[in-house]
Every structure is written in structure tokens, then in C-alpha cells.
Amino acid sequence: MKKVAVAIDGPAAAGKSTVAKIVAERKGYTYIDTGAMYRAFTWYCLKKGVDCQDEKACCALIPEVQIELKPNHIVICNGEDVSSAIRQTNVSGNVSYIASYKDIRLALVVLQRKMAEHDSVIMDGRDIGTYVLPNADVKIFQIASVQTRAIRRYEENISKGIACTYEEIEEDVKKRDYIDSHRSFAPLKPAEDSIEIDTSNMSIEEVVTAIIEIIDKKLAEKN
Ligand code: CDP
């Protein structure tokens, strides 16, 4: 079977990872969560006590950071399982600074492209369709209103036992949207050939079905 690459980009908490995981399972693709890699790098900077707004100090850590994405959504940073730690609010509040540093992006993009070399993949992030995998077979741009996204993330955090208030989540989502879409290198924006899905009023199953229909149609057109 031909190798397939699906890119899902969009703003914070639009539900990309939730649907990407399900689509990956149903289609037999490997799911790659690129946001988890920026989060792991951020976690490491915080652990080292480095100011995440100090680009030079953060980039100086590149040679000592090793990030691995394992099956079952396990994220390893320098041998430590950080899967839960990277979802905490201190990481969320700093990750967009880290993700705006070109040298860190270049280092992580090398790993992301390598992961897509041999398997069929569904990769989610901010710049997958525009920069990481510009030749992806299918490109989705998944959006939802700020309020919908903040409610989803708030409920997700509460269910995982992550302490937060709705107000701080809405602020975080807005702040990350701004930084992600205004950075100079590989900012968040839809690829010209992406298909936009506004999920504000859609259930998870409806989004999954819509994405699988788009994938099947695109692949049928190519064959
Ligand atoms: O799940 P959520 O939407 O909160 O974000 P994420 O996918 O875990 O990504 C965390 C952060 O990493 C984003 O807010 C971006 O700042 C950054 N990111 C990025 O710049 N490029 C990517 N390909 C993926 C994430």
C-alpha cells in the first residue's frame, strides 16, 4: 500500500489531537503529535530553570535535549516519561515562546520529517501542511471559536486533574493563538491547498467522519 501523509493544522485546543488519534487508529496510520515535542522542550527549559523568554539560553539547550514519541502517546525527554507533565499549565503558558525560536523548530522538524519517512502518518501541529510536510496528500485546517476551544481544554484539564480556571484557559488560548500566528518563522496559517473544518458545532465523531471522507476522496482522486 502507498505511504500516506495527512497534515492537521489549527489553533490551540481545536481538538486536533483527539480526532487525529481516532483517525490514525481507524486508518492504520501512525499519529505524530508535534505539539508534544515543543511541550517537552519547554518542560526541559523549566526544569533547568531557564527563562522561556530568553531565546539564546533556551537554544543553548538544543544539544542536550532528546525527545522521543513512543507508542500509546508516551513522550520521553532525556529518558524521563513526561507525558503528563507536559500538559500542565506552566508548560502550556510558555510553550509558544519556545516554539517561536527558529533553531529549536529546525531541530524538531528534522525529527518530525524522519518520523514520516517510512510509515503512513497523520501529523498535527501549526506548520505541518505549510512547512514540515508541504507535499502531504491531505491537508486539514481545523478551527473552532475561542470560547469553544477554551471550554474543551478546560473540561479536558479538569478530567485529568489539572488545576485551572476557565478564565486562565481562555487567556492562554488567546495568547498562544497570537504568538503562534505572529512569529516570523513557520507561523500558524492555513496551507493554500488545505481544507478548513470549523468544528465549533460538531461532535468528535462528526469531525472524524468528515476527515476520513476527505482522506478517502483525495486518495481516490490520486489513484
Ligand atoms: O494541544 P494544543 O492545541 O494545546 O497545542 P499543542 O499541539 O500541544 O502545541 C503546543 C504549542 O506548541 C502550540 O501552542 C504552538 O505554540 C507550538 N507548536 C508549534 O509551534 N508548531 C507545531 N507544529 C506544533 C505545536
Side-chain angles (χ1 to χ4, degrees):
M1 201 178 69
K2 192 189 156 291
K3 196 165 68 65
V4 175
V6 178
I8 305 191
D9 290 302
K16 301 179 297 292
S17 67
T18 304
V19 299
K21 278 177 202 164
I22 302 173
V23 173
E25 261 170 39
R26 293 197 193 162
K27 300 293 290 179
Y29 302 160
T30 300
Y31 166 57
I32 300 170
D33 177 358
T34 63
M37 301 171 81
Y38 292 98
R39 285 174 177 274
F41 202 109
T42 306
W43 171 86
Y44 189 74
C45 294
L46 293 171
K47 180 182 152 136
K48 290 290 249 184
V50 170
D51 176 2
C52 291
Q53 294 192 51
D54 182 341
E55 176 168 5
K56 220 170 147 206
C58 293
C59 291
L61 297 178
I62 293 172
E64 61 185 86
V65 178
Q66 279 222 339
I67 297 167
E68 297 162 88
L69 300 186
K70 299 275 193 193
N72 298 320
H73 320 299
I74 304 289
V75 183
I76 305 288
C77 183
N78 290 10
E80 197 170 327
D81 183 342
V82 295
S83 318
S84 304
I86 61 170
R87 305 291 160 195
Q88 299 294 328
T89 45
N90 60 341
V91 172
S92 300
N94 284 291
V95 61
S96 287
Y97 300 120
I98 298 298
S100 70
Y101 305 146
K102 185 176 177 185
D103 289 349
I104 293 176
R105 298 198 73 80
L106 291 176
L108 296 184
V109 166
V110 169
L111 297 177
Q112 293 159 11
R113 289 189 178 144
K114 210 171 253 167
M115 286 189 260
E117 259 170 24
H118 302 294
D119 294 327
S120 287
V121 296
I122 180 162
M123 194 180 278
D124 81 344
R126 303 294 185 281
D127 58 341
I128 311 306
T130 52
Y131 182 70
V132 182
L133 302 176
N135 298 321
D137 302 279
V138 181
K139 298 181 186 178
I140 307 284
F141 199 72
Q142 187 170 330
I143 59 167
S145 70
V146 170
Q147 287 72 22
T148 304
R149 292 187 281 128
I151 290 169
R152 286 179 186 162
R153 180 52 46 87
Y154 173 73
E155 289 175 349
E156 183 187 355
N157 281 0
I158 295 299
S159 75
K160 286 182 180 163
I162 299 173
C164 62
T165 64
Y166 172 81
E167 288 71 25
E168 71 189 14
I169 295 295
E170 192 184 297
E171 268 318 296
D172 173 66
V173 161
K174 283 186 192 160
K175 181 179 107 177
R176 286 203 281 140
D177 284 356
Y178 184 85
I179 302 175
D180 291 348
S181 47
H182 287 81
R183 68 181 175 228
S184 54
F185 184 68
L188 168 66
K189 63 172 184 209
E192 273 173 20
D193 48 350
S194 67
I195 296 170
E196 183 177 285
I197 302 183
D198 185 341
T199 69
S200 301
N201 297 308
M202 291 171 84
S203 67
I204 292 169
E205 189 53 39
E206 283 170 337
V207 182
V208 168
T209 304
I211 291 178
I212 289 179
E213 275 175 12
I214 292 168
I215 294 173
D216 290 344
K217 189 163 169 260
K218 281 268 174 194
L219 295 183
E221 281 166 11
K222 287 190 174 218
N223 291 328

